[in-house]
Amino acid sequence: MEAKDIIAQRVAKEFKDGDFINLGIGLPTKVANYIPKDINIILHSENGFAGLWDKATEDNIDKDQIDAGGNNVRLREGGVFFDSCTSFEIIRGGHIDITVLGALEVDQEGSLASWNIPGKFVPGMGGSMDLVNGVKKVIISMLHTDKGMPKILKKCTLPLTGKNVIKMIITEMGVFEFIDKKLHLTELMGNTTLAQIKEATKASYIVSLK
């Protein structure tokens, strides 16, 4: 299984019955493929629909149905469409339980940088700043490093999306949680060792394996 699928599969284990969940663009959209069949949740796509959906196939593609990442999907029976105003009222009103977002950088203070690399073209921040401030639990799903460079830092160097907003970080190497404002390593993924985590992580953290 590829690293991004390992991450998406682990993220889906955080969902429970009745959750209303937003999936951000990129890797987070993969989580929809791993939602356990025995739980009843609702997914939210910030571009204007909610329910459950599947990847579109050549046989059933509808080019007007795309998720926040631009992927063609098919909304299942019971799903609803709405405008952007309503979508962001849902986010800002505190109605969403969990948002799963990607990241360029995160740090040991729970801050997130996900929208801008100075000097490079950026199409916009999307709904990320609203999500990290309006949703009850922020889960970051990302590869642990970028071309070998750590992405979990002591302090973010890129422009922030949100300060002290992250509750959990899930990578292909491990799971980190913020407990009493401190970063804890709570789970190792696969055959990953503590030494490998230490080498690939710049942040300070407490080892609290479950």
Side-chain angles (χ1 to χ4, degrees):
M1 185 180 288
E2 292 186 2
K4 290 183 179 180
D5 290 293
I6 291 170
I7 297 166
Q9 188 176 60
R10 178 59 186 83
V11 170
K13 292 180 180 179
E14 293 300 310
F15 302 166
K16 61 184 185 300
D17 262 349
D19 279 344
F20 191 15
I21 298 163
N22 170 274
L23 299 180
I25 65 173
L27 195 161
T29 61
K30 283 181 171 286
V31 178
N33 302 326
Y34 295 99
I35 296 169
K37 302 295 184 185
D38 58 347
I39 64 170
N40 181 29
I41 66 168
I42 299 173
L43 294 179
H44 171 271
S45 187
E46 68 200 55
N47 58 319
F49 58 94
L52 289 176
W53 57 84
D54 303 295
K55 262 187 177 180
T57 67
E58 290 184 5
D59 296 327
N60 65 16
I61 193 168
D62 178 344
K63 292 184 179 180
D64 291 327
Q65 290 188 36
I66 58 171
D67 64 19
N71 303 301
N72 289 104
V73 297
R74 292 291 294 185
L75 194 60
R76 297 183 193 172
E77 184 175 354
V80 293
F81 295 95
F82 35 78
D83 60 22
S84 290
C85 182
T86 301
S87 184
F88 278 81
E89 284 175 344
I90 291 169
I91 295 169
R92 295 171 184 173
H95 303 294
I96 297 178
D97 298 297
I98 297 172
T99 183
V100 183
L101 300 173
L104 296 169
E105 295 176 345
V106 296
D107 67 28
Q108 66 192 43
E109 298 176 1
S111 297
L112 166 66
S114 66
W115 73 279
N116 189 12
I117 300 175
K120 292 192 175 182
F121 172 75
V122 179
M125 67 188 68
S128 56
M129 289 188 179
D130 294 273
L131 287 162
V132 298
N133 287 291
V135 175
K136 298 166 190 171
K137 181 177 181 179
V138 177
I139 297 176
I140 300 303
S141 62
M142 66 176 195
L143 296 175
H144 204 96
T145 61
D146 179 16
K147 297 177 182 176
M149 298 299 294
K151 294 174 66 175
I152 305 177
L153 311 175
K154 290 187 178 296
K155 200 168 186 68
C156 289
T157 63
L158 296 172
L160 293 184
T161 306
K163 188 175 182 180
N164 311 126
V165 293
I166 300 168
K167 293 292 189 292
M168 179 177 280
I169 304 164
I170 298 177
T171 79
E172 78 281 14
M173 296 183 73
V175 178
F176 293 83
E177 298 179 57
F178 285 89
I179 303 169
D180 296 327
K181 298 184 179 181
K182 298 290 185 181
L183 183 62
H184 291 245
L185 172 64
T186 57
E187 185 179 330
L188 294 174
M189 301 286 272
N191 296 319
T192 302
T193 66
L194 287 172
Q196 288 171 324
I197 289 278
K198 184 176 182 180
E199 184 179 355
T201 308
K202 284 190 175 180
S204 298
Y205 55 90
I206 299 164
V207 178
S208 306
L209 298 177
K210 297 177 180 177

